[in-house]
Amino acid sequence: MRSATPSDDLTARARIRDAAVARFGRDGFAVSLRTIAQDAGVSAPLVLHHFGSKDRLRAECDAHVLATIASHKADAVGPAGADHLLVELAQVETYAPLVAYVLRSIQHGGELARTFYEAFVADAEDYLRAGVAAGTVRPSRDEAARARFLTQQALGGLLVSLTLEPVDDPAQLGARLRAHMDAVTLPALELYTDGLMTDRRMLDAYLVYVTDPPAGTPAADPRPTS
Amino acid sequence: MRSATPSDDLTARARIRDAAVARFGRDGFAVSLRTIAQDAGVSAPLVLHHFGSKDRLRAECDAHVLATIASHKADAVGPAGADHLLVELAQVETYAPLVAYVLRSIQHGGELARTFYEAFVADAEDYLRAGVAAGTVRPSRDEAARARFLTQQALGGLLVSLTLEPVDDPAQLGARLRAHMDAVTLPALELYTDGLMTDRRMLDAYLVYVTDPPAGTPAADPRPTS
DNA sequence: CAGAACACTAACCGAGTGTTCAGCCCGTGC
DNA sequence: GCACGGGCTGAACACTCGGTTAGTGTTCTG
């Protein structure tokens, strides 16, 4: 579809899409079409005229954000995965709205959220595998679970921080994320380097527990009558 | 306020409040008063008659959930803090809606969310302090930051997991949270026991970086021309 | 210049929202 | 018997929402 001239993408349609991305990222997906239209400097029906419905506008925003960030992912290959990419990207003023949109999307759930999340998990798995191969990262008993765990926690921590102390001005999102990283780096590096426990008792206990669970269903089913 | 007879709290008013907590937890705070009223088996105006406005109903739900969970917190003093309390509580069928409400609240932000979060952070700080004193937990260079970091990540991970794969039936929330803990326990214990890195290079590099930052703005400025 | 195609808007629609109001039902006190 | 008052409801209000329609200019094409 959309076989029109390339200049088509530089006109009001793109303006509306960008305004929608910015508004969605700022205020969530419950914002009205009229607000978006006003931001773009057009009338509300024109939004529908171009995108058909609010859902399709949302879908187009998803695709746009996904494509834009994916195209800039190769460049920003840093030492840490997952959230670090978003933080780096949010520093660049232009991409801050896109990052806000992604975070809003993950907070809200839905298809794009899962897509991004799975991509982050895959990235983390690659990084960890490379680290293990290089000898800088300890191997895990379940590499996939560890990659998922780490990205889930990193992304979730970011989200909690941002939800509890929301950033009003999207221009300050970059600084805000940087502050989050600053607050998190020391505890994270401590934990990643030395761990938390002084001995292996809890881990060992869990390992024998999980390989040889105490007879019957563990704790989920209070009455294992079957 | 509410100096009425104690039986007042067992009637429709309480029924509406409970229905509201359940619905808010299930579908978020955007649900209509009519839906809540229907759940409670009353008319929509009666909800207003009892609570004045939707906001005040929300506030009353907040207070109720906060009081109920706080009163049961002393009992469920477990080994891990923060999210573990919620998981334990969600196992009990009666409290599952309350837990859903809390998580929904943290996802949404607002006052109650901050209240709960800060309480969790304080709890984690206590646990960690006790662990350090008992010699089972390594001391940190910044205990407050570590407590905040750990609860933020644990809570955020829970939230991300639940948002990306939402649970439809509130009765399954307990099982769902238990599954999350199962998926997370092994990587977490591995990380807490052995850490992630094989050497101290990154931590040491960060420590000298943070105590003696390279002149000028550190990393935010891509062109340290100075 | 005619005419089609396009970008765009004012006015409107039906649905759903929180909220208000007049009044019903029913137990209680005179 | 009857007024009364509180729990409660149906109808309706004012408002906003996403979406539709009909019609305006503008612009490009032949």
Side-chain angles (χ1 to χ4, degrees), chain A residues 112-123:
Chain A
L112 178 70
R114 258 189 300 274
T115 302
F116 263 108
Y117 175 64
E118 294 301 334
F120 284 151
V121 170
D123 282 359

Side-chain angles (χ1 to χ4, degrees), chain A residues 91-124:
Chain A
Q91 308 293 331
V92 187
E93 210 164 309
T94 320
Y95 295 143
L98 301 190
V99 175
Y101 186 94
V102 170
L103 293 173
R104 197 57 89 165
S105 172
I106 291 179
Q107 179 191 35
H108 184 85
E111 206 44 55
L112 178 70
R114 258 189 300 274
T115 302
F116 263 108
Y117 175 64
E118 294 301 334
F120 284 151
V121 170
D123 282 359

Side-chain angles (χ1 to χ4, degrees), chain A residues 79 83 91 105-110 113-114 117-118 128 135-142 145-146 149-150 152-161 163-166 178 180-203 206-207 209 219-220, chain B residues 79 83 91 105-110 113-114 117-118 128 135-142 145-146 149-150 152-161 163-166 178 180-203 206-207 209 219-220:
Chain A
D83 53 338
Q91 308 293 331
S105 172
I106 291 179
Q107 179 191 35
H108 184 85
R114 258 189 300 274
Y117 175 64
E118 294 301 334
L128 289 171
T136 61
V137 173
R138 298 177 182 274
S140 168
R141 290 162 188 80
D142 187 340
R146 177 169 70 173
F149 167 75
L150 287 174
Q152 192 178 80
Q153 299 243 326
L155 222 48
L158 203 83
L159 216 50
V160 165
S161 168
T163 303
L164 261 47
E165 222 69 59
R178 155 95 23 208
H180 170 77
M181 293 309 280
D182 285 346
V184 144
T185 299
L186 175 65
L189 278 183
E190 270 191 357
L191 178 64
Y192 291 170
T193 307
D194 290 326
L196 199 67
M197 315 288 195
T198 54
D199 58 51
R200 322 185 51 81
R201 287 203 328 242
M202 285 202 74
L203 175 57
Y206 177 76
L207 287 177
Y209 166 83
Chain B
D83 54 337
Q91 308 292 331
S105 173
I106 292 178
Q107 179 190 37
H108 184 85
R114 258 189 300 274
Y117 175 63
E118 294 302 334
L128 290 170
T136 61
V137 172
R138 299 174 181 276
S140 169
R141 290 161 189 79
D142 188 339
R146 178 169 70 173
F149 167 76
L150 288 174
Q152 192 177 81
Q153 300 243 324
L155 221 48
L158 203 83
L159 217 49
V160 165
S161 169
T163 303
L164 261 47
E165 221 69 60
R178 154 90 29 204
H180 170 78
M181 292 308 280
D182 285 346
V184 145
T185 300
L186 175 65
L189 278 183
E190 270 190 358
L191 178 64
Y192 291 170
T193 307
D194 291 326
L196 199 68
M197 316 287 196
T198 55
D199 58 52
R200 323 185 49 82
R201 287 201 330 240
M202 287 202 72
L203 175 59
Y206 177 76
L207 286 178
Y209 166 84

